[in-house]
Amino acid sequence: YTVTYNPGTYGTGSQVTDSKTHNAALTLKGPIFTRNGYTQTGWTTTNGGDKAYNLNGTYTDNRNITLYPVWTPRSYTVSYNPGTYGTGSQVTDSKIYDVELALKGAIYTREGYTQTGWATSNGGSKAYELNGSYTSNTSRTLYPFWTINKYAVNLPAGTGYTITVQGGSSSPVTHGGSFSFAIAVDNGYIKGNDFAVKANGVTLAENSGVYTITNITQTQTLTVEGVEEDIILPTPTPEP
């Protein structure tokens, strides 16, 4: 009996045959055909059908048969590494040949930074967006791309004083930065006994007329308390 091995629609390689003797088992061939992006993992009795025989399996039927390769798409490993500064464990995804893989989102953390993408090298430039598409048929290791956090400094719009930003300060402020400003009391107002300048409820100290918030790690809201109208009482008229 003739066992014919046919490459099928997608296989590369020439058709070959084996001769099977009546009532004698025949050891089938292994992976003799190739296909880009796929691995031959068995034999089927129809072109593109399901696996009927293993590679190097046993054929015992006393009849002629044509066998075709069973194809399994290759898979590629996408590894996510926290890199030098990230907190979190390394994880992996499996990417199938010619099937788009949706990358993971922000799975790592870093103090003062936000993960905003994926880089192909530790500390490198952003190559992929969070939850972006990965289409390459290659294994790859990805690292978090970091963007430093910035925090707003909210200035009050109170009455009786003017705030002037000092020393090139601006809002928002990058993580760990500082913000300096001065306060001038307007004409007709004075600093009362309970005058205080606060950032997020914490009293700031004045240094040569300038207030500075240092090591900023969150949004700051300034308040100015104790500015009062300068009420001038009339001078009493002497009694005659």
Side-chain angles (χ1 to χ4, degrees):
Y1 307 95
T2 300
V3 176
T4 303
Y5 303 90
N6 187 295
T9 302
Y10 300 106
T12 298
S14 300
Q15 178 171 291
V16 296
T17 60
D18 269 337
S19 181
K20 190 237 181 244
T21 302
H22 186 78
N23 281 347
L26 171 69
T27 300
L28 298 174
K29 294 190 182 300
I32 60 174
F33 300 119
T34 60
R35 178 183 176 186
N36 189 37
Y38 289 76
T39 300
Q40 185 184 350
T41 55
W43 295 106
T44 179
T45 57
T46 58
N47 189 3
D50 295 330
K51 185 166 73 171
Y53 299 96
N54 292 324
L55 297 174
N56 303 302
T58 300
Y59 179 67
T60 58
D61 290 350
N62 294 315
R63 62 185 178 88
N64 296 329
I65 192 171
T66 298
L67 298 177
Y68 303 85
V70 173
W71 300 111
T72 298
R74 293 177 183 171
S75 63
Y76 308 89
T77 300
V78 176
S79 300
Y80 303 90
N81 188 298
T84 302
Y85 301 105
T87 298
S89 300
Q90 178 168 304
V91 296
T92 60
D93 270 337
S94 182
K95 196 269 181 199
I96 304 302
Y97 179 81
D98 273 357
V99 177
E100 182 179 290
L101 172 68
L103 297 174
K104 294 192 183 301
I107 60 174
Y108 298 118
T109 59
R110 176 184 177 185
E111 184 179 358
Y113 290 76
T114 298
Q115 185 185 349
T116 55
W118 293 105
T120 56
S121 60
N122 190 3
S125 301
K126 182 164 72 171
Y128 299 96
E129 299 291 340
L130 297 174
N131 303 302
S133 297
Y134 182 72
T135 58
S136 297
N137 293 315
T138 55
S139 295
R140 190 177 299 279
T141 298
L142 299 177
Y143 303 84
F145 176 79
W146 301 110
T147 298
I148 193 168
N149 292 340
K150 294 184 177 182
Y151 311 100
V153 178
N154 301 312
L155 304 179
T159 300
Y161 59 88
T162 301
I163 295 179
T164 305
V165 177
Q166 301 289 305
S169 294
S170 62
S171 175
V173 180
T174 56
H175 181 83
S178 61
F179 185 90
S180 297
F181 60 97
I183 296 179
V185 175
D186 298 339
N187 290 332
Y189 292 85
I190 61 172
K191 295 179 180 179
N193 292 333
D194 59 349
F195 177 80
V197 179
K198 298 179 180 179
N200 290 355
V202 178
T203 301
L204 301 176
E206 180 184 359
N207 184 6
S208 300
V210 176
Y211 299 88
T212 299
I213 313 170
T214 60
N215 192 30
I216 295 175
T217 59
Q218 60 182 318
T219 297
Q220 301 291 312
T221 298
L222 300 181
T223 54
V224 179
E225 303 172 358
V227 175
E228 305 171 354
E229 286 189 74
D230 186 10
I231 300 175
I232 302 176
L233 297 175
T235 303
T237 302
E239 293 183 6

